[in-house]
Amino acid sequence: MDGRRFDEVRQVDCESSRMKDYKVSCTVTQTTPNTRILDADHLHFSSNFEAENHRFVENALVALLPEEEYFPYVIGVNTQVVCHDGSASTASVCGGSIALMDAGVPQRGHVAGVSMGLVREVPFGNTEHRYRYRILTDLSSLEEQLGDMNFKIAGSWEGITAVQLDLNVAGVPLDIIFECLGPGLKARLQILDRMEQEISVPRYCVSNDWSWPYPIIAKYVLPARPVKLNANGRWLKCDIDAGRFERDTGSQITSIEEGGIITVIAGNKTRHEQVLNKVDDMDGIEVEVDYSRYYGDS
């Protein structure tokens, strides 16, 4: 309708960490660092559009989230659509991906969405496949209303994570659906490239790789000193003064688990090195044992 090529994506604008004039706004909230969530959904998505689109966006984003083992927090993504000239749900996939990465969620990469459409000229006496048709990329709202379908495709650099097909007609041949995948891939990669220009790595990263330019979240195992109780057993105890540990390393402990496993956010490479040195220097904690409980007063 606006004179662009059939496979052309309109100009893409995106911003992270700023709230200025926008058409689609995505925000992320997480559970507090000291709250570990077990047996709960990893992602909760909310929006101001239909349930079907709601599920499409959530399924698209879940595929690249980190495992709960490495990021044990519930994540909430909220989308507000002020106005749009096209698919609000595919825009929400892009915005949600940027918001997750900007919030420090260590997802494995960006997810982008694009909307594909179809227009057909059906002559009188038509039989199947005997008509002219064109596939449209990055549907505008008017093209969606006048066309036969809105085929939403979401995915990363590696592949498709979610699809949704909305039809304005009784059906569309499967070969046309297949034909949409080529221009859909081209458009998705173009959008992903623009998103990575805005933000390419999470603000925090689950990694022990010091090359990351942002704060590091990592797990450390604290050593414990064995204290022999009797000839057949021993008592292993691991204790930690969280406040002193954080003051000495300039880092933040987010969880302490059984077995002396702690999760720490280190603000940069230097702080990460301080944490490692602190852990290496800990020989264990001496504990006082009342042996009379085991051997009697004698």
Side-chain angles (χ1 to χ4, degrees), residues 26-38:
C26 299
T27 56
V28 169
T29 57
Q30 302 174 38
T31 52
T32 58
N34 293 322
T35 304
R36 192 169 191 274
I37 302 299
L38 299 175

Side-chain angles (χ1 to χ4, degrees), residues 69-223:
E69 176 184 357
Y70 300 105
F71 198 77
Y73 307 109
V74 170
I75 308 161
V77 180
N78 180 64
T79 292
Q80 293 295 323
V81 179
V82 177
C83 63
H84 62 96
D85 184 17
S87 173
S89 54
T90 55
S92 297
V93 170
C94 302
S97 180
I98 291 174
L100 286 166
M101 194 167 285
D102 188 52
V105 177
Q107 59 188 27
R108 297 189 295 276
H110 272 309
V111 183
V114 66
S115 183
M116 308 298 296
L118 173 70
V119 290
R120 293 185 291 180
E121 181 184 53
V122 182
F124 290 106
N126 169 64
T127 58
E128 188 176 5
H129 298 300
R130 291 183 56 188
Y131 48 75
R132 295 192 302 164
Y133 68 90
R134 292 290 184 272
I135 293 173
L136 308 180
T137 299
D138 186 21
L139 283 181
S140 68
S141 295
L142 183 57
E143 291 162 353
E144 178 182 353
Q145 294 298 319
L146 298 179
D148 290 354
M149 72 174 186
N150 180 5
F151 182 36
K152 305 166 189 176
I153 309 173
S156 66
W157 290 100
E158 299 177 354
I160 293 173
T161 59
V163 295
Q164 179 177 311
L165 177 61
D166 300 332
L167 292 175
N168 295 334
V169 294
V172 172
L174 191 59
D175 56 351
I176 291 182
I177 298 297
F178 290 156
E179 192 175 338
C180 291
L181 298 180
L185 172 61
K186 176 183 176 183
R188 189 173 78 245
L189 297 183
Q190 180 180 339
I191 298 170
L192 285 169
D193 183 66
R194 174 63 186 88
M195 293 166 63
E196 289 200 346
Q197 292 176 25
E198 178 63 26
I199 180 172
S200 59
V201 295
R203 301 297 186 201
Y204 297 88
C205 180
V206 175
S207 174
N208 281 318
D209 182 356
W210 293 351
S211 64
W212 285 100
Y214 298 106
I216 299 166
I217 300 176
K219 289 190 176 184
Y220 308 87
V221 179
L222 302 181

